[in-house]
């Protein structure tokens, strides 16, 4: 090959030479102070001086000046007693009754009493749960509505006691009023009224059956309406008398009618 031909190796050698020449030039022009060593020495001089406190430097006692009595004693300030502005009440004396009560209380054995209570007490029933799903979520059966607790109670379907007591008080207040204006209807009269109403119902019903099937005149139509109204009223009165066993009426009912 001729020297004129260029190759990549020539370029590489040329670049390495140029870089080395640049580095030498930069080192020559780099500034370095004369006092760098002094600065580093001063910086590292007191770097770890306070890492540990070390032993306390205490001057040794001089044998010519021995320790005197109460030399290192520190005098505290005088204690001033606290004076109350008012007098406290006197301490109560112990009476003989208090001593007796204390003796009675001390004679009681609380341990035996607690043991007897635990023996006689009933065991606590476990709470009943029901599992709702496969993950184990559960809830209480009592109060959930799944069991019919309310139906099987003893007082199911019965009137409460407070209502019965209130009813008795209400009846007594009407019976024993101050002016005695109301009296209770005796049961014999009530039964006689029921029988009379039933007889009257049969009579009116027979009269109703005697009416023609096809009503043409106005008088027959009016008669039918009156009979039906009377039958309804009689049925209502019979139901009222049979339902209520105690009925109160006005005492001077005859005097009121006369007026």
């Amino acid at each position: 090959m001729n020297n004129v031909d260029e190759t990549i190796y020539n370029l590489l050698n040329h670049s390495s030479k140029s870089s080395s020449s640049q580095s030498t030039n930069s080192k020559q022009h780099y500034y370095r102070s004369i006092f760098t060593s002094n600065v580093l020495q001063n910086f590292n001089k007191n770097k770890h001086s306070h890492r540990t406190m070390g032993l306390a430097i205490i001057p040794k006692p001089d044998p010519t000046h021995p320790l005197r009595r109460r030399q290192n004693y520190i005098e505290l300030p005088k204690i001033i007693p606290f004076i109350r502005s008012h007098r406290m009440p006197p301490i109560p004396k112990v009476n003989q009754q208090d001593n007796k009560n204390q003796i009675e209380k001390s004679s009681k054995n609380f341990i035996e009493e607690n043991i007897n209570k635990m023996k006689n007490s009933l065991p606590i029933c476990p709470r009943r749960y029901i599992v709702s799903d496969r993950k184990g979520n559960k809830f209480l059966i009592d109060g959930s509505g799944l069991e019919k607790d309310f139906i099987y109670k003893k007082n199911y379907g019965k009137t409460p006691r407070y209502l019965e007591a209130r009813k008795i008080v209400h009846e007594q207040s009407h019976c024993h009023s101050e002016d005695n204006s109301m009296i209770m209807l005796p049961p014999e009269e009530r039964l006689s009224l029921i029988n009379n109403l039933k007889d009257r119902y049969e009579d009116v019903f027979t009269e109703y059956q005697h009416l023609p099937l096809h009503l043409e005149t106005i008088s027959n139509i009016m008669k039918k309406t009156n009979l039906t109204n009377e039958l309804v009223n009689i049925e209502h009165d019979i139901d009222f008398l049979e339902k209520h066993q105690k009925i109160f009426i006005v005492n001077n009912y005859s005097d009121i009618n006369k007026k």
Side-chain angles (χ1 to χ4, degrees), residues 200-201 203-211 220-234:
R200 176 64 181 165
Y201 184 83
D203 295 335
V204 174
F205 189 68
T206 53
E207 190 176 355
Y208 180 79
Q209 285 179 342
H210 288 300
L211 289 171
N220 289 329
I221 294 166
M222 293 293 290
K223 188 176 182 181
K224 183 183 178 182
T225 54
N226 292 326
L227 290 171
T228 51
N229 291 327
E230 191 174 357
L231 288 170
V232 170
N233 292 326
I234 292 165

Side-chain angles (χ1 to χ4, degrees), residues 20 38 52-53 71 100 103 105 116-118 120 124 130 138 150 164 177 194-195 197 205 210 213 230 258:
S20 62
N38 294 327
T52 56
M53 298 296 291
Q71 185 177 356
K100 289 180 181 179
I103 292 162
K105 287 180 181 178
N116 293 324
K117 281 183 181 179
M118 293 302 294
N120 297 325
I124 298 169
I130 187 168
K138 60 184 180 179
F150 187 72
E164 291 178 354
S177 58
I194 291 166
N195 293 324
L197 287 169
F205 189 68
H210 288 300
L213 295 173
E230 191 174 357
K258 287 178 183 178

Side-chain angles (χ1 to χ4, degrees), residues 227-243:
L227 290 171
T228 51
N229 291 327
E230 191 174 357
L231 288 170
V232 170
N233 292 326
I234 292 165
E235 286 178 355
H236 183 267
D237 294 336
I238 291 165
D239 292 334
F240 179 78
L241 291 169
E242 287 179 349
K243 186 177 180 181

Side-chain angles (χ1 to χ4, degrees), residues 14-78:
H14 182 69
S15 63
S16 63
K17 288 178 181 179
S18 63
S19 63
S20 62
S21 63
Q22 287 177 2
S23 63
T24 53
N25 292 327
S26 63
K27 284 181 181 179
Q28 288 176 1
H29 294 288
Y30 181 73
Y31 176 75
R32 188 174 181 83
S33 178
I34 301 167
F35 304 102
T36 52
S37 60
N38 294 327
V39 170
L40 290 170
Q41 188 178 0
N42 291 325
F43 179 75
N44 295 322
K45 186 177 180 180
N46 298 320
K47 192 172 183 181
H48 303 293
S49 60
H50 299 287
R51 181 175 286 180
T52 56
M53 298 296 291
L55 297 172
I57 299 167
I58 299 168
K60 293 180 180 181
D62 191 1
T64 58
H65 299 287
L67 187 65
R68 295 180 181 180
R69 183 171 173 269
R70 298 175 65 87
Q71 185 177 356
N72 295 329
Y73 180 74
I74 299 168
E75 291 185 359
L76 296 172
K78 292 182 180 180

Side-chain angles (χ1 to χ4, degrees), residues 160-174:
R161 292 180 181 177
Y162 72 93
L163 289 175
E164 291 178 354
R166 186 178 177 184
K167 188 177 180 181
I168 291 164
V169 171
H170 187 67
E171 289 174 356
Q172 289 177 357
S173 64
H174 282 287

